[in-house]
Amino acid sequence: MKLGILINEGPFTHQASDSAYQFATAALKKGHEIIRVFFYHDGVYNSTKFADPPSDDRNLVQQWSKMAEEHGVELIVCVAAAMRRGINDDALAPGFQISGLGQLIEAGIEADRLVTFGD
Amino acid sequence: MAEEFDDEFDGPVKRFLFVNRKAPYGTVYALESLEVVLISAAFDQDVSLVFVDDGVFQIVKDQDTDGINMKNFSRTYRALEGYDVEKLYVEKESLDARGLTEDDLLVDVEILDSQGLSDLMDAQDVVITS
Amino acid sequence: MLHTVNKSPFEKSSVTSCLRLAKNGSGILFLEDAVFAALQGTSVSDVVAGRAKDFQFYVLGPDLAARGLSEKPVIDGVEVIDYEGFVDLVEEHDAVHSWL
């Protein structure tokens, strides 16, 4: 199955990105394809390399980057939502790309299922 | 087949449902969700919007945001028709619970009871919420 | 349709809205703070249990465990699953509606 994932919240205030990451990990383990993870609303905060949580906490930004590197998962950050929140190309962690909202609609069209995680 | 695709989008048409359950201004979800709806119009999909729970407050008329210095985006719902987004549905129970009627709304909608809305929502291919 | 709910029924109306608007025969997965809706002996247990004939309920075990609730009895008919089970549910249903 081809999956698209939409994440609407940042990596710390809400569990959304954690749940999405655990779901995505399980999906990859089962041999499914994740065609795109789209970050919208405060979800764009998952993309900033300046996130620096304490060393005894998980670093979701790095986890997503690693998933992109190891599994070729596309991590797309909405440009309009990112600009509002002060995130640009210079802030992006490895594997993340800034693009338009059309990428979310395309994911909905091309994926067999679109699964949303938010607040 | 890939070679059949050209610059114009002529891929599959899916039924996209945008579910609005949150009020405007208190959080950004209503405003940013509307931006997704506008973009979706460019993809020639079968787009529907539903307003349930506090989402019905998004389309209440006479919104005036001067006093809170935030953008009043309520007019955009009336502009959706120009984007060929014409399927707007409101749950009657949500209106009733909030003391609202169709006359309070700023845009033409179809009002459905929970059962009707349930059937409509179940028949969608892609459901986007925020 | 698979419905997912992630809000505590004691704080938000997502669970009751989902129960009102999901079509009979749907799957409903409680995750994150919505796992509280799956437990016996709460003020909302009867509301959920009363719909067990209309829906197939699931609850995400890792979210129960994280909240110290693994040993608490869940409502009859609620199936405890893990993330791989979540993936299977997404595959088995034709679409997913997240009640945020």
Side-chain angles (χ1 to χ4, degrees):
Chain A
M1 151 175 80
K2 287 199 265 185
L3 283 164
I5 294 176
L6 169 62
I7 299 179
N8 289 341
E9 299 296 339
F12 296 107
T13 309
H14 300 93
Q15 198 184 341
S17 184
D18 279 289
S19 295
Y21 181 80
Q22 297 302 329
F23 175 82
T25 301
L28 290 170
K29 188 178 167 196
K30 292 183 76 80
H32 298 294
E33 181 189 357
I34 298 171
I35 64 163
R36 183 169 299 152
V37 183
F38 192 88
F39 297 88
Y40 196 43
H41 303 297
D42 279 2
V44 299
Y45 289 126
N46 286 284
S47 71
T48 166
K49 67 184 178 192
F50 300 119
D52 192 12
S55 57
D56 62 348
D57 199 356
R58 82 275 185 255
N59 187 325
L60 265 173
V61 177
Q62 288 178 4
Q63 288 177 355
W64 284 117
S65 286
K66 193 157 174 270
M67 182 177 285
E69 186 187 348
E70 292 178 354
H71 299 277
V73 174
E74 215 176 64
L75 307 176
I76 302 293
V77 180
C78 169
V79 61
M83 282 176 67
R84 283 187 175 122
R85 292 164 176 84
I87 290 169
N88 58 26
D89 283 328
D90 297 336
L92 292 186
F96 289 90
Q97 307 167 60
I98 290 181
S99 190
L101 270 173
Q103 299 279 319
L104 169 60
I105 304 302
E106 266 189 31
I109 295 168
E110 291 168 15
D112 298 312
R113 306 283 186 278
L114 180 71
V115 187
T116 304
F117 295 87
D119 178 43
Chain B
M1 287 180 285
E3 51 267 38
E4 287 177 7
F5 288 80
D6 54 27
D7 292 341
E8 296 251 323
F9 183 83
D10 59 358
V13 174
K14 284 191 173 180
R15 289 161 295 189
F16 272 71
L17 178 70
F18 294 93
V19 181
N20 298 287
R21 288 187 58 242
K22 293 176 182 172
Y25 312 120
T27 57
V28 77
Y29 301 107
L31 169 63
E32 287 191 326
S33 298
L34 192 52
E35 291 177 359
V36 186
V37 173
L38 293 173
I39 295 291
S40 75
F43 286 81
D44 293 330
Q45 301 295 298
D46 182 0
V47 173
S48 301
L49 275 68
V50 304
F51 299 87
V52 298
D53 295 334
D54 282 351
V56 299
F57 288 122
Q58 293 179 23
I59 50 171
V60 165
K61 61 171 74 155
D62 297 333
Q63 296 179 32
D64 177 358
T65 58
D66 287 352
I68 59 171
N69 195 30
M70 293 174 79
K71 178 171 151 186
N72 180 351
F73 57 95
S74 63
R75 289 178 205 92
T76 310
Y77 296 100
R78 280 209 291 253
L80 287 174
E81 200 177 4
Y83 291 82
D84 291 329
V85 176
E86 293 168 331
K87 297 181 184 176
L88 278 61
Y89 304 94
V90 174
E91 188 203 18
K92 183 172 188 306
E93 286 81 348
S94 294
L95 284 178
D96 291 348
R98 287 158 184 78
L100 299 171
T101 69
E102 190 167 6
D103 292 338
D104 293 307
L105 306 180
L106 55 74
V107 67
D108 286 336
V109 298
E110 185 174 342
I111 298 187
L112 298 172
D113 63 12
S114 300
Q115 187 60 53
L117 199 66
S118 175
D119 291 340
L120 182 130
M121 290 173 36
D122 196 67
Q124 304 294 322
D125 299 312
V126 182
V127 183
I128 294 184
T129 52
S130 55
Chain C
M1 187 77 69
L2 174 68
H3 299 265
T4 68
V5 189
N6 69 340
K7 296 296 186 311
S8 165
F10 309 112
E11 186 192 4
K12 299 278 178 77
S13 66
S14 310
V15 169
T16 48
S17 290
C18 177
L19 294 176
R20 183 177 78 245
L21 289 166
K23 197 171 165 71
N24 284 1
S26 297
I28 297 179
L29 168 63
F30 299 122
L31 73 161
E32 301 178 3
D33 285 350
V35 297
F36 308 137
L39 300 174
Q40 288 185 21
T42 76
S43 59
V44 301
S45 298
D46 288 349
V47 176
V48 175
R51 301 300 303 278
K53 62 187 184 308
D54 299 326
F55 304 115
Q56 177 58 56
F57 289 114
Y58 305 91
V59 61
L60 199 61
D63 277 329
L64 279 175
R67 290 159 178 80
L69 301 170
S70 281
E71 302 304 317
K72 297 280 184 190
V74 297
I75 293 164
D76 287 345
V78 177
E79 187 180 333
V80 182
I81 62 167
D82 58 11
Y83 284 102
E84 290 191 31
F86 184 2
V87 173
D88 290 341
L89 288 180
V90 168
E91 189 173 26
E92 289 160 14
H93 294 78
D94 53 6
V96 184
H97 180 167
S98 305
W99 292 78
L100 303 177

